[in-house]
Amino acid sequence: MLHDPTRHEGLPSIAWDVTGCAIARTVLVWVSLLVGVTGCGSLPPRAHAPAALALSDVGDTALGRVAAASLSPGAPALSGFRLLPEGETSFDARIALARRAQKSLDVQYYLIQDDDLGRQFLRELRDAARRGVRVRLLVDDLYAAGEDPLFAGLAAFAGVEVRMFNPLPSRAGSFRQRLVFSLHDFDRINHRMHNKLFIADNSFAVSGGRNIAEEYFMRSTAANFIDLDVLSAGPVVRQLSAVFDSYWNSEQAYPIGSI
């Protein structure tokens, strides 16, 4: 699903789902103690840079030509769609697009897990950059605990830029620890980005409900999600690119190197 970057997205429920003043007082006491011991983390000022936009000169790419040929020449305003209900097919679609991209990959996810599938996905982005493809990766920071080195390593390659959406001030520790140490900035960190979007050469896009983790593509041995993605071509892809650009250039998107 796609969301407006200004929309208020709530954090996962933890203590605030539990009613009772005693619980609230306990949480406040723990927060006070933890802040007193460690101090409040804070983010550096975000450097202002010129807006970066999706590439539009993609008609001469292989994907651009395939997209143009797949659409009806008599109805240029119409877009094409194909449902991707099977996890394996949906993941393969992303990999195929990454390997055939020639100019750009714009990638936006709520979660990229540090598992075998997630690392394979990031390697494909790295390999595309090595071929000269411009890679922009935007990831929500909420569940990125411990993954700073992974994303910073990817961003170290020429042609790759990684940004974290609304990063938590606390970078170390478990998910719960990072959340507790960031509660002094709650009004900001309670805005999350749930988008899942993969755009290749501004010609084809995969959007839908799947994050990048084994359980979203039927590869987990414990439990898996049943979900749905959509492969798109045509004018709608340019609209999806505009959505990506609005997040990429927003004040909430921090380059991984800055945090």
Side-chain angles (χ1 to χ4, degrees), residues 2 63 90-101 104-109 112 121-122 124-125 128 135-137 195-208 210 212 229-232 237 240-241 244:
L2 295 173
L63 291 178
S90 184
F91 185 71
D92 288 346
R94 291 167 170 85
I95 299 305
L97 291 174
R99 291 178 178 177
R100 288 161 176 78
S104 67
L105 289 172
D106 290 334
V107 184
Q108 179 181 15
Y109 283 98
I112 297 182
F121 182 80
L122 295 179
E124 295 292 345
L125 300 185
V135 176
R136 297 190 294 174
L137 174 62
N195 296 21
K196 296 95 177 176
L197 184 59
F198 186 99
I199 307 173
D201 282 344
N202 207 1
S203 301
F204 283 95
V206 177
S207 58
R210 291 185 175 99
I212 303 301
D229 290 318
V230 180
L231 175 66
S232 307
V237 177
L240 292 172
S241 290
F244 177 91

Side-chain angles (χ1 to χ4, degrees), residues 2-7 46 49-54 106-108 134 136 138 163-166 193 195 197 199 237-254:
L2 295 173
H3 297 259
D4 187 322
T6 62
R7 182 177 176 182
R46 186 185 182 279
L53 302 177
D106 290 334
V107 184
Q108 179 181 15
R134 185 188 75 170
R136 297 190 294 174
L138 180 61
R163 295 185 182 182
M164 309 303 292
F165 186 83
N166 237 347
M193 179 196 76
N195 296 21
L197 184 59
I199 307 173
V237 177
R238 302 297 175 97
Q239 297 173 10
L240 292 172
S241 290
V243 172
F244 177 91
D245 286 342
S246 69
Y247 277 89
W248 183 259
N249 296 303
S250 70
E251 293 295 323
Q252 291 82 17
Y254 282 71

Side-chain angles (χ1 to χ4, degrees), residues 217-233:
F217 297 94
M218 295 296 173
R219 293 194 183 182
S220 173
T221 58
N224 291 281
F225 293 105
I226 297 175
D227 223 314
L228 179 69
D229 290 318
V230 180
L231 175 66
S232 307

